[in-house]
Amino acid sequence: MTKMMETDQTGWEIGGKQLTSRMFIGSALYPSPAVMEDAIKASQAQVVTVSLRRQGVNKEAGEGFWNIIRELGVEVLPNTAGCHSAKEAITVAQMAREVFGTNWIKLEVIGDQYNLQPDPYETVEAAKVLVKEGFEVFPYTTDDLVVAKKLVGAGCNILMPWGSPIGSGKGLMNPYNLKAIREAFPNMPLIIDAGIGKPSHAVMAMELGYDGILLNSAVALAQDSVAMAKAFALAVEAGRMGYEAGAMQEREFASPSTPTVGTPFWHQNK
């Protein structure tokens, strides 16, 4: 990031921790550990999501991955990816807390294997248990306002609605629903999780007033992951700054930026 961007960043709090970057990034799908490391650095993300299951497949590879994450000095957000029931997700979350030494957990309970849509019932049930066990739950959910309210009722202090299905790159399928969630919970940290495919999608999400973006595939599967990570860092920052600056209201008709009355004499017809 440029020096000017670093100056423009302002701190914010989520899950009891202070951050400056509003971009969260995933650690899967990269062509190599070196590319992953360089992309995370380029993104300037301070939170990286990790999967306990993926790291447990190969002990040696898992240790190498964990060494990279430690050296980066980022906050770790373990997830329950691949779980299909509340019971399964709770067990993985408990294991992740022991392995990664954090009470943060990205709660994913998949209900449909085709579009990877989260199961609202199992997600809410898992959230209730995990909150009581002292976890800071980051629940992955759809853009359904009713489900969002149920998760808040279960004790969640953060919501992570999708923009569109995981890995689809379709951007924000339903800005209206996302805006409704933002308006319903004006003071709650909200992160768009899943479906962001291009930097312009990130700008749109941030302009809605969301507090951050979590993405993985858009960077990991890009032709140049490092360059794309930089692009997203700029997009997230620009979108947030635009939101805070207060965009002009849309108009039905054109309105001249330089009205005739009061214009300098050299702009008037002779």
Side-chain angles (χ1 to χ4, degrees):
M1 240 183 239
T2 65
K3 185 173 276 188
M4 185 175 71
M5 277 196 64
E6 291 175 355
T7 301
D8 288 338
Q9 287 180 328
T10 55
W12 65 297
E13 183 178 338
I14 186 168
K17 298 179 182 180
Q18 290 289 328
L19 304 175
T20 52
S21 171
R22 293 177 178 271
M23 180 173 166
F24 294 18
I25 194 166
S27 56
L29 305 177
Y30 294 91
S32 71
V35 172
M36 179 196 73
E37 181 178 6
D38 289 344
I40 292 173
K41 288 179 179 177
S43 74
Q44 298 228 344
Q46 295 169 292
V47 177
V48 175
T49 59
V50 298
S51 170
L52 177 65
R53 294 184 174 200
R54 184 170 66 84
Q55 300 313 320
V57 172
N58 182 304
K59 183 178 179 181
E60 186 174 325
E63 289 177 354
F65 167 87
W66 189 228
N67 286 335
I68 292 173
I69 297 299
R70 276 199 298 261
E71 290 172 3
L72 287 169
V74 295
E75 300 289 347
V76 174
L77 177 58
N79 64 49
T80 62
C83 293
H84 293 82
S85 69
K87 182 178 180 181
E88 191 178 11
I90 291 166
T91 299
V92 171
Q94 292 167 339
M95 293 171 62
R97 179 161 60 179
E98 293 298 320
V99 171
F100 298 111
T102 178
N103 70 328
W104 279 17
I105 192 73
K106 179 188 172 188
L107 177 60
E108 295 183 35
V109 186
I110 301 302
D112 184 88
Q113 202 59 38
Y114 175 73
N115 67 0
L116 301 180
Q117 181 170 327
D119 185 318
Y121 307 104
E122 295 294 308
T123 300
V124 171
E125 287 306 308
K128 289 178 181 178
V129 174
L130 293 173
V131 167
K132 289 179 180 178
E133 292 188 0
F135 283 90
E136 189 68 75
V137 179
F138 292 63
Y140 164 59
T141 181
T142 60
D143 53 19
D144 188 309
L145 179 58
V146 175
V147 177
K149 289 181 176 179
K150 294 289 185 183
L151 287 166
V152 173
C156 294
N157 299 311
I158 299 154
L159 293 174
M160 302 182 74
W162 71 2
S164 51
I166 294 174
S168 68
K170 292 182 177 295
L172 308 185
M173 291 191 306
N174 199 328
Y176 174 84
N177 280 8
L178 293 172
K179 186 176 180 180
I181 293 174
R182 177 72 283 178
E183 291 175 350
F185 305 104
N187 300 314
M188 177 173 289
L190 301 179
I191 308 294
I192 293 292
D193 176 18
I196 299 296
K198 298 184 291 187
S200 58
H201 298 158
V203 172
M204 291 175 62
M206 298 303 291
E207 287 178 340
L208 288 176
Y210 275 71
D211 297 282
I213 303 292
L214 194 162
L215 53 85
N216 189 169
S217 301
V219 170
L221 301 182
Q223 292 182 5
D224 186 334
S225 295
V226 176
M228 187 60 75
K230 291 179 181 178
F232 270 108
L234 291 165
V236 169
E237 186 71 11
R240 181 65 187 185
M241 291 177 69
Y243 169 73
E244 292 178 343
M248 65 172 283
Q249 295 297 312
E250 292 185 6
R251 298 167 176 170
E252 293 297 325
F253 303 99
S255 177
S257 57
T258 306
T260 302
V261 177
T263 55
F265 69 88
W266 55 83
H267 282 180
Q268 298 178 4
N269 294 327
K270 295 183 178 180

